[in-house]
Amino acid sequence: LKIFNLTGAKIGMHMDCNKVKGVDCSTGSLGHGLSLAVGFALAGRVNGIDYMNYVLTGDGELNEGSNWEAAMSAAQFKLSNVVVFADNNKCMIDGRVDDEMKVEPLDKKFEAFGFNVFRVDGHNMKELNNAIEAAIKNHQDGGDKPTAIIMDTFKGAGVDFMQDDYKWHYGSLDDEKLAKAYASLDKYLAERCARVEKEA
Ligand SMILES: Cc1ncc(C[n+]2csc(CCOP(=O)(O)OP(=O)(O)O)c2C)c(N)n1
C-alpha cells in the first residue's frame, strides 16, 4: 500500500487480476460489474452451486449502456441471486449526474427492467440490512426476480469540506486538511452512534 498507484506497484487505482491475488477480474472501466455478476450467477446455476452475487455500481456508472443489457439478462434468466446496489450519490468524476446524464428515477427504471426494488438511505445500515435480508429471503423462497437496492448517499459523507462535492472525486490531503477530515469524521461518527441508539 505504501507504493499504491506508483509505477511498478501491484495495487493501482484500477485492479489488475493478473497482479493481485483474490481479484477475479480486472476492473476500472465502468459498466462491467453487473454483466460479470450475471455471468457468475449463471455459472453457479450450470455448476449446481447456490450463492448470492452482490454488485456495487455508481449512479454515474449507470450511464453505461452495458448495465442495462445486463439488467435485462438478469431478469430474463430469473437470477434472483443477483443483488445490485446503486450508490446514488448524485456525483460523478467531474460533475453532477443530473448535469452530465440523468439516471433517475432509478427505482422505476430497475422496476421496469424486472427487478424487485428497495430504496434506502445508503448511510443507514439498518435499512440496508433489511433490504439485503429481503433479497436473500426472496431468493430462498424461490422468487424469480433479481433485486436492486437504490442507496441514496452523499459522496465523501462525513468529511464536511468534501461531502457532496464532486471535485473531491480525486484529491490529496496535506496535514492540516487531514486533521480537519479526522475531526469531521469523529463528529459524524458520534452523530451516527447517537442516531442508532435513539432508533434502537
Ligand atoms: C468506461 C469508463 N468511462 C469513464 C471512466 C472515467 N470515470 C472514472 S470514475 C467516473 C465517474 C463515476 O461516477 P459514479 O459511478 O457515480 O461513481 P462515484 O461518484 O460513486 O465515485 C468516470 C466517468 C471510466 N473509469 N470508465
Side-chain angles (χ1 to χ4, degrees), residues 6 32 38 55 86 109 125 182:
L6 298 180
H32 298 291
V38 167
V55 192
K109 281 199 172 103
M125 295 302 130
Y182 275 136

Side-chain angles (χ1 to χ4, degrees), residues 68-80:
W68 302 103
E69 294 179 41
M72 281 189 282
S73 307
Q76 175 75 21
F77 297 121
K78 304 186 191 311
L79 298 175
S80 59

Side-chain angles (χ1 to χ4, degrees), residues 168-187:
W168 275 102
H169 186 91
Y170 291 117
S172 50
L173 299 170
D174 56 20
D175 288 346
E176 193 191 336
K177 283 208 181 82
L178 183 64
K180 279 188 182 155
Y182 275 136
S184 178
L185 282 169
D186 284 343
K187 189 165 162 261

Side-chain angles (χ1 to χ4, degrees), residues 4-5 10-20 22-37 40 54-58 61 64 66-67 170:
F4 168 72
N5 214 32
K10 284 186 181 166
I11 300 181
M13 225 184 269
H14 296 156
M15 285 296 194
D16 181 338
C17 69
N18 295 313
K19 292 184 184 159
V20 188
V23 174
D24 293 327
C25 315
S26 297
T27 53
S29 183
L30 298 172
H32 298 291
L34 193 46
S35 299
L36 285 164
F40 289 144
Y54 298 98
V55 192
L56 180 63
T57 70
E61 179 172 18
E64 297 290 347
S66 51
N67 289 299
Y170 291 117

